[in-house]
Amino acid sequence: MTPPSMLDIRNLNVALLNGRPILRDVSLTVAPGEVRALVGESGAGKSMIGKAVLGILPRGLKVTSGEILLEGQPLHDLRPAARRRRVAEVAALIPQDPLTALNPVRRIGAQIVDPLIKIHGWARPAAQARALDLLHRVHIRAPERVMQSYPHELSGGMRQRVLIASAFAASPRLIVADEPTTALDVTVQKQILRLIRELQQETGTAVLFVTHDMGVVAKISQQVSVLFQGKVMEDAPTQAVFDAPDHAYTRALIAATPSYADPERPFSPVPQSLIAEMSAALAMEVRR
Amino acid sequence: MNAQLNSRSLPDPSSTAPAPLVSIRGLRLSFPDQANKPLFGAAPRIEVLKGIDLDLPAGQITGIVGESGSGKSTLGRVMVRLLAPDTGTVLFDGQDIAQLDEAALRPLRRDLQMIFQDPMSSLNPRHRVWQIIAAPLRRFGLGGTRVEAVAALDKVGLGADFAERFPHELSGGQRQRVGIARAIALEPRFILADEIVSGLDVSSQAQVLTLLKTLAREMNLTLAFISHDLSVIRHLCDRVVVLYHGEILEQGPVAEVFAAPQSEITRTLLAAIPLPELDAHWFDD
């Protein structure tokens, strides 16, 4: 028998309270040590998958059916408090916007140390040593000083490193990275991607990596789920997706990504006709 | 090699490029460093732009690229005179606007337009789309009716039904198109676009870039396009300027600079772009 996936999502449906579907029958797995990219346009529901796993769906959204299994254990069997504890023990989030994710009136050190003490039961000295060590690991030059700093005193790239350090601090077995580099410029983005990859390969953490950038998908992931209006259009190894994309939508997303290396390559938005055709097909499914 | 580098780093008057609409020489700009201000006396100054010589050829799109903190937005803001330089000249159509006061600038404002990075914070959330587009038209005494706003919307591919909407009812790409409509409605001669696609997903980004390229050609616009993404610049721009720590490292036609980048920084910027193709060695360096 193969060991259970780190994360196993089966036929997950999420909808607005009025019944409008946000995720449609989403199934995917992430093996330990694997990076799965969730890619799609704004509004495709890619962030919502991560939020459903972590149990932090925005108000007004409900899981209507389906199962989420963490290390083989179904989460829906747990009471809310037990579920929260279980998720906090196993998983961590790297959010998109490092400024809103950090508390502006608390020092960086406290924000990394507190969850280790309160959720994971570490002793304060151990937690502080761990925080310092991780700030080192994410290539922050003066970690002692940064521990004493407030978020506004750091640059965007530094803040994102702090959040990566914080996410990896408790050695999670699953990380949800929700567009962690979208707000950064390309050189910082590359540093951050490298960092996530280094820590992930070293610790064997599974990663669910949300992005809209097919370039980032190509570099960071081994598996890809391509989403459109809450439905998985293509689920394949990254290699296969770039060698021979199966779905017209995947091809369109790749064609919409500019490439300096190949300026003659047709570079065009996803065609409206394709979007209309796919929307119509989804609407038919709902009616049935 | 050296001769080539020199011809690349200085604007070349003998080239076949059209006459410059904006011509910048010896531009220096510094800000007071409040973090290191002594208790008494003036704060020391941080030099952000350290002697910029740059021509923006009329009717062309010039890309300005550099890392965060390289001074690209500051340079852009001098071009549209939201900032005044310490020294140096900024010729706009032959007139030095570097030190003009606000009253003297007013007649030029219509010609110096800007499209902002974040359309959510640069569009008034309590105004309808048509009012947002009409306001500057009215301000410059160029009309400002709903009909004119709808005509501008049409140019950016948004139908008349968008006129009555509020910014929060639009997607990011649609909002950015409203920002473009507001700028082009004035029929300006120069537009500064500062990181206008960095918040958009790839498909919206492709839409906005395709639109901007078409409009620039149709309206014979002179555009400065600030971005940290060289792939975007390669597809959109005629020329590119690479900034680093407030200095120009190289400039030239995009095809030339991309074919043979002269500076290490340009090569680093190129190598940092994740191209949509597999590359097992991308992280090694």
Side-chain angles (χ1 to χ4, degrees):
Chain A
M1 199 185 109
T2 51
S5 297
M6 184 57 232
L7 173 67
D8 188 352
I9 300 179
R10 295 178 187 168
N11 306 98
L12 182 68
N13 282 283
V14 168
L16 290 172
L17 295 180
N18 66 15
R20 204 185 130 205
I22 299 296
L23 295 178
R24 309 170 197 244
D25 255 344
V26 169
S27 296
L28 57 86
T29 61
V30 192
E34 183 177 84
V35 180
R36 174 177 289 274
L38 300 178
V39 69
E41 293 172 87
S42 313
K46 50 197 194 298
S47 288
M48 293 307 146
I49 296 177
K51 290 186 177 181
V53 171
L54 298 175
I56 51 170
L57 280 174
R59 228 191 298 177
L61 291 189
K62 281 274 172 298
V63 174
T64 49
S65 66
E67 287 189 317
I68 300 172
L69 290 81
L70 273 184
E71 295 178 317
Q73 185 193 14
L75 287 179
H76 63 257
D77 290 351
L78 302 173
R79 291 164 165 281
R83 186 200 146 113
R84 274 199 299 278
R85 210 174 313 119
R86 171 91 182 117
V87 169
E89 278 163 14
V90 175
L93 170 73
I94 306 175
Q96 172 170 10
D97 179 356
L99 195 53
T100 52
L102 288 164
N103 185 335
V105 299
R106 299 207 63 216
R107 294 179 198 275
I108 297 293
Q111 300 193 48
I112 304 178
V113 166
D114 280 1
L116 291 178
I117 297 173
K118 288 180 182 158
I119 297 168
H120 302 281
W122 292 43
R124 180 165 295 274
Q128 261 163 348
R130 176 75 176 160
L132 264 180
D133 175 42
L134 269 152
L135 289 177
H136 254 299
R137 298 291 320 281
V138 298
H139 308 293
I140 282 179
R141 249 171 286 159
E144 289 86 359
R145 208 194 64 223
V146 169
M147 292 272 282
Q148 295 302 317
S149 303
Y150 289 96
H152 75 268
E153 297 175 288
L154 308 179
S155 70
M158 289 265 274
R159 286 196 284 261
Q160 197 54 280
R161 279 163 215 241
V162 165
L163 285 167
I164 290 170
S166 181
F168 278 95
S171 309
R173 300 193 284 283
L174 172 70
I175 281 189
V176 176
D178 190 358
E179 307 222 24
T181 60
T182 304
L184 305 172
D185 83 25
V186 280
T187 41
V188 182
Q189 164 169 280
K190 185 167 182 178
Q191 293 163 11
I192 298 291
L193 291 178
R194 177 183 283 136
L195 220 106
I196 293 175
R197 204 175 87 121
E198 265 172 30
L199 289 170
Q200 177 264 336
Q201 288 186 339
E202 201 181 290
T203 55
T205 308
V207 178
L208 202 55
F209 196 104
V210 177
T211 178
H212 67 257
D213 186 338
M214 286 306 267
V216 172
V217 173
K219 306 307 179 212
I220 195 105
S221 69
Q222 292 93 48
Q223 297 283 328
V224 192
S225 299
V226 181
L227 278 130
F228 175 79
Q229 292 186 5
K231 191 170 174 70
V232 177
M233 291 291 150
E234 181 159 0
D235 173 350
T238 307
Q239 174 102 40
V241 162
F242 284 91
D243 283 348
D246 190 40
H247 200 284
Y249 185 62
T250 313
R251 288 193 290 275
L253 278 184
I254 296 175
T257 311
S259 162
Y260 72 82
D262 194 359
E264 304 313 319
R265 187 178 63 109
F267 160 58
S268 54
V270 176
Q272 287 301 320
S273 55
L274 177 61
I275 290 178
E277 188 186 310
M278 288 165 62
S279 305
L282 286 179
M284 288 295 287
E285 264 177 46
V286 172
R287 229 167 287 147
R288 249 188 275 132
Chain B
M1 186 70 184
N2 244 341
Q4 195 189 355
L5 191 71
N6 282 338
S7 72
R8 178 88 57 81
S9 59
L10 283 173
D12 179 6
S14 67
S15 75
T16 52
L21 179 68
V22 179
S23 183
I24 292 172
R25 289 292 178 277
L27 182 74
R28 289 180 172 274
L29 189 144
S30 60
F31 291 118
D33 179 9
Q34 298 297 353
N36 291 310
K37 185 186 181 305
L39 185 53
F40 301 105
R45 297 188 74 85
I46 298 176
E47 194 152 58
V48 179
L49 299 174
K50 305 167 183 167
I52 302 279
D53 296 324
L54 171 64
D55 286 338
L56 302 185
Q60 290 200 357
I61 306 181
T62 304
I64 300 173
V65 71
E67 299 176 323
S68 308
S70 58
K72 48 192 195 299
S73 283
T74 306
L75 175 60
R77 274 157 200 266
V78 172
M79 290 174 183
V80 292
R81 267 309 313 277
L82 291 176
L83 288 171
D86 298 347
T87 60
T89 57
V90 179
L91 297 184
F92 177 74
D93 199 18
Q95 179 189 6
D96 188 1
I97 61 168
Q99 303 299 337
L100 290 186
D101 61 21
E102 197 45 50
L105 278 170
R106 208 156 292 146
L108 291 169
R109 285 285 178 216
R110 176 196 170 183
D111 280 326
L112 303 171
Q113 286 301 308
M114 183 164 176
I115 309 167
F116 298 86
Q117 172 168 13
D118 176 8
M120 201 57 205
S121 62
S122 57
L123 303 179
N124 189 329
R126 302 174 58 146
H127 285 182
R128 295 180 190 278
V129 162
W130 79 265
Q131 295 171 308
I132 289 170
I133 298 169
L137 285 169
R138 215 172 303 142
R139 168 75 183 67
F140 288 102
L142 301 167
T145 61
R146 195 177 179 286
V147 176
E148 285 158 324
V150 168
L153 277 175
D154 183 54
K155 280 192 182 154
V156 298
L158 294 176
D161 50 323
F162 282 91
E164 294 300 326
R165 295 204 201 167
F166 288 100
H168 74 264
E169 298 175 290
L170 308 176
S171 72
Q174 289 164 348
R175 261 179 232 140
Q176 205 50 289
R177 283 193 267 172
V178 171
I180 296 174
R182 175 171 60 182
I184 61 160
L186 292 162
E187 299 182 354
R189 299 174 66 191
F190 176 70
I191 295 181
L192 167 68
D194 190 352
E195 295 276 14
I196 63 167
V197 293
S198 54
L200 304 179
D201 71 41
V202 279
S203 188
S204 315
Q205 173 177 301
Q207 272 175 20
V208 167
L209 292 174
T210 313
L211 171 72
L212 201 60
K213 194 162 190 165
T214 316
L215 285 173
R217 218 174 274 143
E218 279 173 14
M219 304 178 67
N220 194 30
L221 284 170
T222 308
L223 225 79
F225 186 90
I226 296 175
S227 179
H228 63 258
D229 187 338
L230 281 161
S231 281
V232 167
I233 290 202
R234 181 69 184 91
H235 279 273
L236 180 71
C237 300
D238 304 297
R239 294 176 61 79
V240 60
V241 176
V242 183
L243 271 188
Y244 183 70
H245 286 198
E247 287 175 281
I248 292 181
L249 282 185
E250 61 184 305
Q251 58 176 305
V254 277
E256 265 179 42
V257 173
F258 279 79
Q262 300 293 309
S263 75
E264 190 53 43
I265 296 299
T266 315
R267 282 190 287 271
T268 308
L269 283 169
L270 283 172
I273 295 170
L275 294 176
E277 60 198 31
L278 296 167
D279 176 3
H281 302 292
W282 188 66
F283 283 106
D284 321 338
D285 56 59

